[in-house]
Amino acid sequence: MSSLDAIRQQLLAFRDERDWKQFHTLKNLIISLNLESAELLELTQWKTDAQLDALKGDPGFREALRDECADVLLYLLLVADDAGIDLLDAARAKIAKNAARYPVEQAFGSAKKYTELKEAARKKE
Amino acid sequence: MSSLDAIRQQLLAFRDERDWKQFHTLKNLIISLNLESAELLELTQWKTDAQLDALKGDPGFREALRDECADVLLYLLLVADDAGIDLLDAARAKIAKNAARYPVEQAFGSAKKYTELKEAARKKE
Amino acid sequence: MSSLDAIRQQLLAFRDERDWKQFHTLKNLIISLNLESAELLELTQWKTDAQLDALKGDPGFREALRDECADVLLYLLLVADDAGIDLLDAARAKIAKNAARYPVEQAFGSAKKYTELKEAARKKE
Amino acid sequence: MSSLDAIRQQLLAFRDERDWKQFHTLKNLIISLNLESAELLELTQWKTDAQLDALKGDPGFREALRDECADVLLYLLLVADDAGIDLLDAARAKIAKNAARYPVEQAFGSAKKYTELKEAARKKE
């Protein structure tokens, strides 16, 4: 059992002790995942990259980041559980898909989307 | 090494082969995490809970869900890596924090926030 | 001068009195717009449609809705101002574009995207 | 009748011709508003402030910005209509509330939240 799976089981026990599954429709869980992602984004609001680099060493800021990252992961585990998705398998498969979409020779040093890369490659031919 | 850590290492290798670290400021990574969460939300747009329950058995919908869940996890791993956060530790600590915020006897069967639960408990006294 | 334009001018004066333009890059404004949209979404968290219908009559809920809707509009005005966009013109043009994408005879009573409608129309031929 | 109100009426007619009100629950409309805000955010993904400043002069980028801003406004109008909110009144009231929260002498040149400003003012006393 992976550590992520141990957390998943702890989380489901936490949920069931409180009888919360009744609120956890797929849509509600995904909404909550979005709200937690937004709380993470709020930590960066109005801040420059330099300010954020400095804040990474601030204990209060670090704890806030840690908590919001954890909240995103916990809702993601609940979404995946509800949909019967194995997150680790899904991540491995997605890295492989991305590797095919972004061949090193086209994507090196470029922030373009794969649809733009294809278009650029097509024009070059 | 946990399986999640193996994926993290694969992901960092994927990033470095493409020289993408230069784009991965904390703010940019969190923006991308939000965009992927929104793509997951888009899969539920205009759908009722009953329609979503039916779609969970649809191969095309399942693959879309899997891919978007994976994208959220991959950006979350990059955010955590950039901030020096151990995601599994953070998740364990957050479950403990939530357990203290949501005591079973107050939170059972209730979708109230812990701030509302406290208020309700205060009024009862 | 439209009423929306009067509000825009009031808002720019509010901003300039506080010397806040320096923080208002396009990216920062759009991030803030997303955060306000998320706060609006948070008002619906865990609530069913029936519960939300009932809450529409609750003064506290109504005020929260009003405030969050206002925040979204205010940031949208700042985004549009920064980008030199006339919001009313943009909205009129977008309604016309949507009317072309969603012909009444195809879109009537359907929640499908225009890309799906096109595909469905193509198959029928 | 303000121009915004004219657009609102055009939009409601557009909706009713397609019999779409049935999908427009408050929650669904707010989800769609969030999705459109995210599409606006996507236009800034991986871009620096300098790149975005340059792109503001690019016709394709401007059109994309215009369209996404319009989509946000259109969904905001539908949310406000569903909740019986007058957007212009709400915006005027919110500017007044913000003016009280952010007194010029405390907020000048500062990106702090009003909760932080209060705390800072309290400490000074």
Side-chain angles (χ1 to χ4, degrees):
Chain A
M1 190 175 71
S2 78
S3 303
L4 188 64
D5 204 50
I7 286 170
R8 190 179 70 86
Q9 291 188 21
Q10 233 186 305
L11 179 65
L12 297 183
F14 173 90
R15 174 197 73 187
D16 291 337
E17 280 163 21
R18 285 156 187 79
D19 195 25
W20 281 357
K21 197 177 191 307
Q22 58 182 313
F23 307 117
H24 289 191
T25 62
L26 184 61
K27 198 167 190 168
N28 278 347
L29 290 172
I30 292 176
I31 286 174
S32 290
L33 175 67
N34 273 266
L35 296 178
E36 297 300 340
S37 301
E39 290 190 16
L40 198 48
L41 186 57
E42 194 179 0
L43 295 177
T44 75
Q45 195 182 17
W46 307 125
K47 305 232 164 32
T48 64
D49 289 336
Q51 288 170 324
L52 287 167
D53 277 341
L55 280 167
K56 281 179 209 167
D58 176 85
F61 188 78
R62 288 186 65 72
E63 197 192 336
L65 265 184
R66 260 171 62 98
D67 276 6
E68 300 307 343
C69 283
D71 281 335
V72 172
L73 182 59
L74 295 177
Y75 277 117
L76 185 60
L77 282 167
L78 290 171
V79 168
D81 181 73
D82 183 73
I85 289 169
D86 182 309
L87 269 186
L88 297 178
D89 276 357
R92 268 181 227 109
K94 195 58 184 5
I95 292 177
K97 206 183 251 194
N98 287 344
R101 281 181 176 172
Y102 295 95
V104 171
E105 64 278 13
Q106 285 175 31
F108 189 84
S110 160
K112 283 196 179 133
K113 287 230 166 129
Y114 69 97
T115 44
E116 298 170 287
L117 285 178
K118 255 202 218 160
E119 184 61 19
R122 203 187 53 76
K123 279 185 185 161
K124 257 207 211 155
E125 277 169 31
Chain B
M1 191 176 70
S2 79
S3 303
L4 189 63
D5 204 51
I7 286 169
R8 190 178 69 87
Q9 292 189 21
Q10 234 186 304
L11 178 65
L12 298 183
F14 173 89
R15 174 196 72 188
D16 292 337
E17 280 162 21
R18 286 158 187 78
D19 195 25
W20 282 358
K21 196 176 191 307
Q22 57 181 312
F23 307 118
H24 289 191
T25 62
L26 184 61
K27 199 167 190 167
N28 278 347
L29 290 171
I30 292 176
I31 287 174
S32 290
L33 175 67
N34 272 267
L35 296 177
E36 297 300 341
S37 300
E39 290 190 17
L40 197 49
L41 186 58
E42 194 179 1
L43 295 177
T44 75
Q45 196 183 17
W46 308 124
K47 304 229 164 35
T48 64
D49 289 337
Q51 288 171 324
L52 287 167
D53 277 341
L55 280 167
K56 282 179 206 166
D58 176 86
F61 187 79
R62 289 187 64 75
E63 197 192 336
L65 264 183
R66 260 172 61 98
D67 277 7
E68 300 305 345
C69 283
D71 281 333
V72 172
L73 181 59
L74 295 176
Y75 276 117
L76 185 61
L77 283 166
L78 290 170
V79 168
D81 181 72
D82 183 72
I85 289 169
D86 182 307
L87 269 186
L88 297 178
D89 276 355
R92 268 181 227 108
K94 196 58 184 9
I95 291 178
K97 206 183 252 194
N98 286 343
R101 282 182 176 171
Y102 296 95
V104 171
E105 65 278 12
Q106 285 175 31
F108 189 85
S110 161
K112 283 196 179 132
K113 286 227 168 134
Y114 70 97
T115 44
E116 298 170 287
L117 285 178
K118 256 202 221 159
E119 183 63 18
R122 203 186 53 77
K123 280 187 183 159
K124 257 204 210 158
E125 277 167 32
Chain C
M1 191 176 68
S2 78
S3 303
L4 188 64
D5 205 50
I7 286 169
R8 190 179 69 88
Q9 291 189 20
Q10 234 187 304
L11 178 65
L12 297 183
F14 173 89
R15 175 196 73 187
D16 292 337
E17 280 162 21
R18 285 157 187 79
D19 195 24
W20 281 357
K21 198 178 192 306
Q22 58 182 312
F23 308 117
H24 289 190
T25 62
L26 184 61
K27 199 167 188 166
N28 278 347
L29 290 171
I30 292 176
I31 287 174
S32 290
L33 175 67
N34 272 267
L35 296 178
E36 298 300 341
S37 301
E39 290 190 17
L40 197 49
L41 186 58
E42 194 179 1
L43 295 176
T44 75
Q45 195 183 17
W46 307 125
K47 305 234 165 30
T48 63
D49 290 336
Q51 288 171 324
L52 287 167
D53 277 341
L55 280 167
K56 282 179 208 166
D58 175 86
F61 188 79
R62 289 186 64 73
E63 197 192 335
L65 265 183
R66 260 171 61 97
D67 277 6
E68 300 307 343
C69 282
D71 281 334
V72 172
L73 182 60
L74 295 177
Y75 276 117
L76 185 61
L77 282 167
L78 290 171
V79 168
D81 181 73
D82 182 73
I85 288 169
D86 182 308
L87 270 185
L88 297 178
D89 276 356
R92 268 181 228 107
K94 196 59 185 7
I95 292 177
K97 207 183 251 195
N98 287 344
R101 280 180 177 172
Y102 295 96
V104 171
E105 64 278 12
Q106 284 174 33
F108 189 86
S110 160
K112 284 198 179 130
K113 287 228 166 131
Y114 70 98
T115 44
E116 297 170 286
L117 286 178
K118 254 201 220 161
E119 183 62 19
R122 203 186 53 76
K123 279 185 183 161
K124 258 206 210 156
E125 277 167 31
Chain D
M1 191 176 67
S2 78
S3 303
L4 189 63
D5 204 51
I7 286 170
R8 190 179 69 87
Q9 291 189 20
Q10 233 186 306
L11 179 64
L12 297 183
F14 173 90
R15 175 197 72 186
D16 291 337
E17 280 162 22
R18 284 157 187 79
D19 194 24
W20 281 357
K21 196 177 191 307
Q22 58 181 312
F23 308 117
H24 289 191
T25 62
L26 184 61
K27 199 167 190 168
N28 277 347
L29 290 172
I30 292 176
I31 287 174
S32 290
L33 175 67
N34 272 267
L35 296 177
E36 297 302 340
S37 301
E39 290 190 18
L40 197 49
L41 186 58
E42 194 178 0
L43 296 176
T44 75
Q45 195 183 18
W46 308 124
K47 305 231 164 33
T48 63
D49 290 336
Q51 288 170 326
L52 287 167
D53 277 341
L55 279 167
K56 282 178 209 167
D58 176 85
F61 188 79
R62 289 186 63 74
E63 197 193 334
L65 265 183
R66 261 171 60 98
D67 276 6
E68 301 305 344
C69 283
D71 281 334
V72 172
L73 182 59
L74 296 176
Y75 277 117
L76 185 61
L77 283 166
L78 290 170
V79 168
D81 181 73
D82 182 73
I85 289 168
D86 182 308
L87 270 186
L88 297 178
D89 277 355
R92 267 180 228 111
K94 197 57 185 8
I95 292 177
K97 206 182 253 196
N98 286 344
R101 281 181 175 173
Y102 295 94
V104 170
E105 65 278 12
Q106 285 174 33
F108 190 85
S110 160
K112 286 198 178 128
K113 285 226 167 135
Y114 68 99
T115 44
E116 298 170 286
L117 285 178
K118 256 202 220 161
E119 183 61 20
R122 203 186 53 77
K123 280 185 183 159
K124 258 205 212 156
E125 279 168 30

